[in-house]
Amino acid sequence: MDEPTQQVLLRRAMIRDAERLERFFRGFDEVSFCEWQDARFLRGVLLQETTTAYLAIDASGEVVGAVIGGMLGTRGTINHLAVSPRHRTRGLGQRLVEAASADMKRVGVLRMFLFVDDANLAGKRFWAAQGFCEPRGEITFERDL
């Protein structure tokens, strides 16, 4: 029998967790984790004051959920969020979003955004349930540096 999500510990991700974060996020096809986002890169991100990152750890010490995002002025972003399949639909994703949101709110962030792949229907449903909506009339532009 699976252990209840309430027994999963949420804690801030630290620099020493970079390898665990990389391995965890790379385990999900639906997470757009870029090839260049390796542990070395993540250590630098985790050092930044504007980063919010949490791990969800089960009783055996396994990472079963994670979120990482950042803040710039009055806007914040969730860059990546994933929950192990056996822990989904139990509120763990919501707990991770709430933890990151609380960090952002504490420093004055007024709006959060994120990107969801068009084909990720489960992701779209999850984020809509968290109160996010698809902006109308906006197109995202991006480029690699």
Side-chain angles (χ1 to χ4, degrees), residues 30-31 116-125:
E30 64 271 29
V31 174
V116 180
D117 187 274
D118 281 338
N120 186 350
L121 300 179
K124 288 179 178 182
R125 283 191 303 273

Side-chain angles (χ1 to χ4, degrees), residues 61-125:
E62 180 184 351
V63 176
V64 296
V67 64
I68 189 166
M71 300 164 254
L72 178 62
T74 59
R75 291 200 180 216
T77 183
I78 300 287
N79 298 101
H80 303 294
L81 177 126
V83 174
S84 294
R86 72 178 188 276
H87 286 275
R88 291 181 184 167
T89 70
R90 298 186 193 172
L92 182 54
Q94 181 178 356
R95 286 176 57 201
L96 287 162
V97 171
E98 288 171 355
S101 299
D103 282 355
M104 292 184 196
K105 201 171 186 180
R106 266 193 295 282
V107 297
V109 168
L110 301 174
R111 177 171 296 237
M112 292 172 60
F113 67 95
L114 53 93
F115 302 100
V116 180
D117 187 274
D118 281 338
N120 186 350
L121 300 179
K124 288 179 178 182
R125 283 191 303 273

